């Protein structure tokens, strides 16, 4: 089975931190890029970050740069998103997804996890 499971969300205060995990199984994790996306109520889904498979290059949306760090541990088939200095506007459901590369469009990602809720209180 191809599975991606996002976890680690929760309720934090403004300025707090969370570490999201994306546990993968059923496919060659080390051959795939892993992206983190988020969707807030009434808003379009947006890509937050991505980490490539071949050279582990990382990408961040402007609002995440300097606050979030994406990483991967291929031995554990797990990717992470460390989120620091959280703001209320970071509140969303966060999803991890796998693709052959860090594509610019979410529809090019092959597999998706269920998502985990992140809520940042003011």
């Amino acid at each position: 089975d191809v599975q991606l499971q996002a976890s680690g969300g929760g309720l934090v205060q403004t300025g707090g931190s969370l570490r999201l995990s994306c546990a993968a199984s059923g496919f060659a994790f080390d051959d795939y890029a892993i992206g983190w996306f988020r969707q807030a109520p009434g808003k379009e889904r947006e890509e937050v970050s991505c980490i490539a498979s071949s050279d582990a290059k990382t990408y961040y949306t402007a609002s995440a740069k300097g606050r979030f760090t994406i990483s991967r541990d291929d031995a554990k088939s797990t990717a992470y998103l460390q989120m620091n200095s959280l703001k209320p506007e970071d509140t969303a459901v966060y999803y991890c997804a796998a693709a052959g590369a860090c594509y610019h469009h979410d529809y090019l990602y092959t597999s998706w996890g269920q998502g985990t809720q992140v809520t940042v209180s003011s």
Side-chain angles (χ1 to χ4, degrees):
D1 295 343
V2 175
Q3 297 282 341
L4 290 172
Q5 180 62 56
S7 62
L11 174 63
V12 298
Q13 298 180 67
T14 297
S17 298
L18 285 172
R19 186 179 182 87
L20 306 184
S21 296
C22 178
S25 62
F27 67 99
F29 179 82
D30 57 335
D31 288 338
Y32 287 82
I34 301 297
W36 284 96
F37 297 79
R38 66 187 179 190
Q39 188 166 26
K43 297 186 180 296
E44 295 181 355
R45 182 167 58 196
E46 66 169 339
E47 184 174 9
V48 178
S49 184
C50 186
I51 183 165
S53 61
S54 60
D55 55 8
K57 286 185 177 180
T58 58
Y59 304 87
Y60 300 91
T61 192
S63 64
K65 183 69 175 179
R67 299 188 299 127
F68 295 1
T69 303
I70 190 170
S71 62
R72 64 190 297 155
D73 186 339
D74 288 343
K76 297 181 179 179
S77 295
T78 303
Y80 305 93
L81 185 68
Q82 178 68 45
M83 305 188 296
N84 299 325
S85 302
L86 284 163
K87 306 173 182 179
E89 50 263 46
D90 295 317
T91 296
V93 177
Y94 283 70
Y95 301 88
C96 61
C102 285
Y103 298 120
H104 295 105
H105 304 289
D106 58 3
Y107 61 82
L108 295 175
Y109 282 74
T110 303
S111 301
W112 292 81
Q114 289 181 272
T116 185
Q117 176 71 48
V118 171
T119 303
V120 185
S121 63
S122 59

